[in-house]
Amino acid sequence: MDARTTARYGLAGIRLVNGVVALLAPQTMARSLGAAPAQPALLHVLRMFGVRTVVLGAELLLLKDARTVDRALRVGTLIHASDALSAACAWRDGVLAPRPGLTATAISTLNVALTLVAQQPRRLPLTCRAPEGSHHA
């Protein structure tokens, strides 16, 4: 498996794990963020985050057309960059405590890096042979 594919499937795994936890166990996700898990509005927002994140993860596993996958990765770069910025701002402003703020920022930044690696153009192997049908003197 090449680096592009490894990054794609790694990102899908991170998205699916985080999305399923947020969707099915939002109290656990709230505690990991240092928030009180009894806030109904927070639990609702975490479930919405979970749905979005599961869909994004499933896309990377189910899409087969290279152009569609590349589009999903480009959109993912924007989504994860905005998540990283949002987490960093929440951390800076004290909305997130230091450890959860660092963790949320780091995970989203890792996701950005994985989308970028997964989008790298495929490299063609270098050969010294002349192409078929060409004539060299």
Side-chain angles (χ1 to χ4, degrees):
M1 195 172 346
D2 66 357
R4 287 171 46 115
T5 304
T6 301
R8 175 181 168 190
Y9 290 131
L11 179 60
I14 292 169
R15 286 175 173 179
L16 290 172
V17 167
N18 285 331
V20 166
V21 170
L23 184 59
L24 301 179
Q27 298 87 350
T28 301
M29 182 70 73
R31 278 191 291 279
S32 74
L33 293 171
Q39 299 176 24
L42 174 61
L43 300 180
H44 174 68
V45 169
L46 287 172
R47 283 191 175 106
M48 289 190 314
F49 167 81
V51 169
R52 174 203 86 161
T53 306
V54 166
V55 169
L56 292 172
E59 267 188 328
L60 294 182
L61 296 178
L62 300 175
L63 295 175
K64 300 299 179 200
D65 177 65
R67 289 174 55 168
T68 308
V69 171
D70 286 343
R71 182 185 178 285
L73 289 165
R74 285 191 310 275
V75 169
T77 303
L78 296 173
I79 290 168
H80 294 301
S82 67
D83 287 351
L85 183 59
S86 177
C89 289
W91 177 19
R92 178 201 64 205
D93 295 345
V95 174
L96 289 176
R99 185 178 175 110
L102 174 62
T103 301
T105 303
I107 290 170
S108 293
T109 302
L110 171 64
N111 290 345
V112 170
L114 290 171
T115 64
L116 295 173
V117 170
Q119 292 176 68
Q120 290 299 309
R122 294 187 195 279
R123 296 210 167 100
L124 298 175
L126 296 176
T127 63
C128 295
R129 294 185 351 221
E132 292 284 327
S134 67
H135 299 285
H136 291 290

